[in-house]
């Protein structure tokens, strides 16, 4: 804080007497608040003029937060301390950034799914009210479960942020409460996927690696359902069709034993486009057989009614629309009460056409890219959220230092500094500040500049900001941001039969150029005593072109990473949280990614 520059205490006190003597207590408080909140220039000048000080004290507003600086005679700054005001913490009133909204339509018997309001300004306490036809439901909060009498009424969420400087209230748009669902209930929180290349591309070598690609719809479905279930198997194969033949590689029927053996209680089905112009009458017996086999095993079958396909012949367009019509028909539903039909076609269809993708959804006219899969995954995820409504999210992002793993908190974080605080991390080939206990290296990404800085996320938590720009050398490139290897302490809190996941809040700023996606992962490593080092990675959401107009801000969770059976006897054990940023070399890149609350949980 700048000290008053009058050399003699007597002169200082004389000046303060001139400044303060004419002021009433109320006027002094107004002047004090001007230091804090930055009232307008005209208002402060009027205040000073009213008390005859306009020639003694001048107003200068040069603070980035809008607070004022008062200048005494000679231009010396007058600070709150000079006026005898002790202001250890400047509190600003909360402000509204975004209103709350319903993530899913409220439904009888299903806990509310709400995206909470985002507030700016000073730290504040947030209270929540649930309104039904604009009347408060006494005692109801975000965990409220609508009851039968709520059906058909309009529900809203009202949130108020309050601190000592003020408050702000915001209310969501209304949503009509839906009647109780008659959907079947899964027996566990696992789902698998079955189909052609549009499904196959959703993962890497799965489930061996557990890699989920943002170029497929599974990552987006997981996010949309709030991670209430996870994918246990991908049975999609490029070129698959429904017509059976002797080639087991490209037909759905030979894959059924593996689908039935998979533990998932829900199967998502998307297949048929490769049968091109085959008449629907030829396909119905095969669809029926496959659907009967899956549901007879007690599995719920989510039947997608196909996707558009751009630029096809009239014969193929007619056949594709016939497949769509049958897959959404009562005849299909009648095969089993465990069939749940889902319209994935309409959200992807370009307006004014009958079978074309929306612009940018599928550049090759067949396979959805990131933008298309973000919509397809959200559509599938919304239906899975209804099916898995009784399940709880299998991980929540950490919120504070007390979320560390311990004997009394067995599901806490397994790595230190998951809250991303501090600036003492290790930076190799990058500029700026890295969170304490974390490291960042450019790896094979020659030709780019990486600027790292610290900030806060929309919830006020510490955030690592990564800005990548330049023209990298040709080829696929990745940057690796990771926690320092955790080798002690929490290693004993996991063992054979357990599994771990990474969880983080990730934000991709709009306007990304040359970005191909991100991946978060949990890494296990150790020596089994036979001089064999074992390392397992597990990622979610990477390897895809990223549309510049697709901002992203969400909590992301990796697939499960099963702990080695001999973990207890291993030496040099370690757990690491990983964030990979992918892009293609040979062309300019410019993107910013922000990560916060990055932990690994059991």
């Amino acid at each position: 804080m700048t000290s008053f520059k009058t050399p003699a205490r007597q002169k200082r006190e004389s000046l303060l007497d001139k400044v303060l003597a004419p002021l009433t207590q109320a006027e002094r408080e107004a002047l004090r608040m001007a230091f804090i909140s930055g009232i307008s220039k005209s208002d402060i000048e009027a205040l000073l003029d009213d008390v005859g000080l306009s020639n003694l004290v001048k107003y200068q507003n040069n603070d980035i937060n809008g607070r004022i600086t008062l200048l005494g005679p000679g231009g010396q700054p007058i600070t709150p301390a000079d006026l005898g005001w002790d202001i250890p913490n400047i509190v600003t009133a909360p402000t509204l950034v975004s209103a709350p909204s319903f993530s899913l339509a409220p439904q009888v018997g299903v806990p509310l799914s709400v995206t909470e309001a985002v507030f700016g300004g000073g730290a504040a306490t947030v209270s929540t009210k649930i309104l039904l036809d604009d009347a408060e439901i006494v005692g109801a909060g975000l965990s409220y479960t609508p009851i039968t009498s709520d059906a058909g009424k309009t529900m809203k969420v009202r949130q108020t942020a309050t601190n000592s400087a003020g408050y702000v209230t915001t209310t969501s748009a209304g949503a009509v409460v839906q009647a109780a669902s008659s959907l079947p209930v899964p027996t566990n929180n696992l789902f698998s996927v079955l189909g052609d290349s549009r499904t196959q591309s959703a993962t890497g070598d799965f489930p061996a690696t557990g890699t989920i690609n943002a170029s497929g719809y599974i990552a987006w479905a997981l996010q949309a359902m709030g991670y209430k279930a996870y994918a246990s198997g991908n049975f999609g194969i490029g070129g698959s069709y429904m017509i059976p033949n002797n080639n087991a590689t490209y037909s759905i029927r030979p894959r059924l034993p593996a689908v039935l053996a998979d533990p998932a209680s829900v199967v998502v089905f998307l297949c048929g486009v490769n049968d091109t112009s085959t008449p629907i009458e030829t396909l119905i017996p095969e669809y029926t057989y496959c659907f009967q086999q899956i549901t007879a095993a007690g599995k719920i079958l989510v039947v997608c009614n196909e996707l558009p396909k751009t630029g096809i012949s009239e014969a193929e367009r007619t056949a594709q629309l016939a497949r769509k019509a049958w897959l959404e028909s009562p005849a299909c539903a009648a095969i089993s009460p465990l069939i749940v039909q889902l319209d994935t076609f309409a959200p992807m269809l370009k307006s004014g056409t009958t079978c074309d993708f929306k612009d940018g959804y599928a550049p090759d006219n067949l396979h959805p890219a990131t933008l298309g899969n973000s919509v397809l995954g959200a559509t599938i995820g919304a239906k899975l959220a209804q099916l898995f409504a009784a399940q709880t999210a299998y991980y929540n992002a950490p919120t504070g230092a007390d979320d560390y793993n311990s004997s009394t908190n067995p599901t806490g974080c397994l790595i230190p500094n998951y809250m991303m605080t501090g600036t003492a991390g290790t930076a190799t080939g990058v500029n700026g500040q890295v969170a304490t206990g974390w490291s960042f290296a450019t790896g094979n990404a020659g030709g780019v500049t990486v600027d790292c800085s610290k900030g806060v996320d929309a919830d006020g938590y510490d955030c690592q900001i990564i800005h990548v720009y330049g023209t990298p050398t040709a080829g696929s490139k990745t940057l690796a941001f990771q926690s320092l290897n955790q080798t002690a302490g929490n290693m004993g809190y996991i063992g054979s039969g357990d599994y771990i996941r990474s969880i983080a809040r990730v934000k991709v700023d709009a306007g990304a150029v040359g970005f191909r996606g991100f991946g978060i992962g949990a890494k296990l490593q150790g020596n089994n005593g036979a001089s064999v080092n074992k390392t397992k990675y597990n990622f979610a959401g990477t390897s895809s072109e990223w549309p510049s107009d697709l901002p992203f801000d969400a909590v992301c969770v990796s697939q499960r990473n099963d702990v080695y059976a001999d973990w207890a006897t291993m030496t040099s054990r370690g757990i690491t949280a990983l964030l990979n940023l992918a892009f293609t070399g040979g062309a300019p890149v410019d993107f910013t990614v922000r990560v916060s609350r990055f932990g690994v949980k059991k």
Side-chain angles (χ1 to χ4, degrees), residues 264-591:
S265 59
V266 176
V267 179
V268 178
F269 176 88
L270 173 61
C271 190
V273 70
N274 291 319
D275 290 284
T276 60
S277 57
T278 302
I280 186 62
E281 293 77 14
T282 304
L283 297 177
I284 288 176
E286 194 61 23
Y287 276 129
T288 300
Y289 174 83
C290 292
F291 293 178
Q292 287 174 337
Q293 293 296 305
I294 294 170
T295 56
K299 296 179 183 289
I300 299 169
L301 181 63
V302 178
V303 176
C304 301
N305 67 340
E306 263 299 335
L307 302 179
K309 185 179 180 183
T310 304
I312 54 180
S313 67
E314 180 61 24
E316 188 173 349
R317 185 188 69 86
T318 299
Q320 183 72 348
L321 294 178
R323 283 188 287 270
K324 170 185 176 294
W326 186 83
L327 290 168
E328 64 189 18
S329 71
C332 176
I335 293 172
S336 170
L338 293 179
I339 286 180
V340 176
Q341 293 168 302
L342 177 61
D343 184 4
T344 51
F345 194 94
M348 312 287 283
L349 181 66
K350 182 177 181 179
S351 178
T353 72
T354 58
C355 202
D356 289 354
F357 275 108
K358 289 181 179 178
D359 293 341
Y361 277 31
D364 70 352
N365 297 333
L366 173 60
H367 301 92
T370 298
L371 182 59
N373 272 315
S374 68
V375 175
L376 175 60
T379 303
I380 293 173
K383 182 58 66 178
L384 292 177
Q386 293 177 342
L387 288 169
F388 293 108
Q391 301 287 342
T392 56
Y394 47 76
Y395 285 117
N396 293 310
T399 56
D402 58 350
D403 203 8
Y404 197 56
N405 189 290
S406 67
S407 58
T408 58
N409 185 26
T411 60
C413 289
L414 294 161
I415 60 170
N417 199 24
Y418 44 84
M419 297 306 295
M420 313 293 291
T421 58
T423 58
T426 303
T428 304
V430 303
N431 305 317
Q433 299 173 327
V434 175
T436 301
W438 293 76
S439 68
F440 200 174
T442 54
N444 67 351
V448 297
T449 300
V450 181
D451 292 338
C452 294
S453 60
K454 294 297 298 300
V456 295
D457 65 16
D459 294 322
Y461 297 106
D462 277 63
C463 174
Q464 181 73 62
I465 305 171
I466 304 166
H467 180 204
V468 182
Y469 57 97
T471 303
T473 54
S476 297
K477 306 295 179 183
T478 58
L479 297 171
F481 174 69
Q482 62 186 53
S483 64
L484 298 183
N485 190 23
Q486 170 71 347
T487 58
N490 290 341
M491 299 304 99
Y493 289 126
I494 60 173
S496 177
D498 293 332
Y499 55 86
I500 63 172
R501 305 177 195 269
S502 275
I503 182 168
R505 178 170 185 167
V506 181
K507 181 174 190 267
V508 180
D509 286 3
V513 175
F515 185 48
R516 292 190 63 83
F518 66 89
I520 66 166
K523 173 184 173 183
L524 281 168
Q525 63 185 45
N527 191 307
N528 68 355
S531 299
V532 177
N533 292 317
K534 296 183 177 182
T535 302
K536 293 204 304 184
Y537 295 86
N538 184 281
F539 282 91
T542 188
S543 302
S544 172
E545 71 285 354
W546 197 275
S548 62
D549 59 348
L550 183 64
F552 179 90
D553 187 358
V555 172
C556 301
V557 182
S558 71
Q559 282 288 103
R560 59 185 283 171
N561 198 354
D562 292 286
V563 177
Y564 295 112
D566 54 352
W567 178 259
T569 59
M570 281 185 169
T571 59
S572 301
R573 298 180 299 181
I575 297 174
T576 308
L578 302 157
L579 170 74
N580 281 355
L581 305 177
F583 51 96
T584 300
V589 300
D590 191 343
F591 58 88

Side-chain angles (χ1 to χ4, degrees), residues 78-132:
I78 301 174
T79 71
D82 295 324
L83 300 180
W85 295 324
D86 181 15
I87 311 177
N89 294 300
I90 296 176
V91 179
T92 58
T95 58
L96 177 63
V97 177
S98 61
S101 61
F102 288 100
S103 306
L104 297 172
Q107 185 175 47
V108 172
V110 179
L112 294 181
S113 180
V114 175
T115 299
E116 295 189 56
V118 177
F119 297 100
T125 300
V126 178
S127 61
T128 300
K129 294 181 179 180
I130 305 299
L131 309 181
L132 193 67

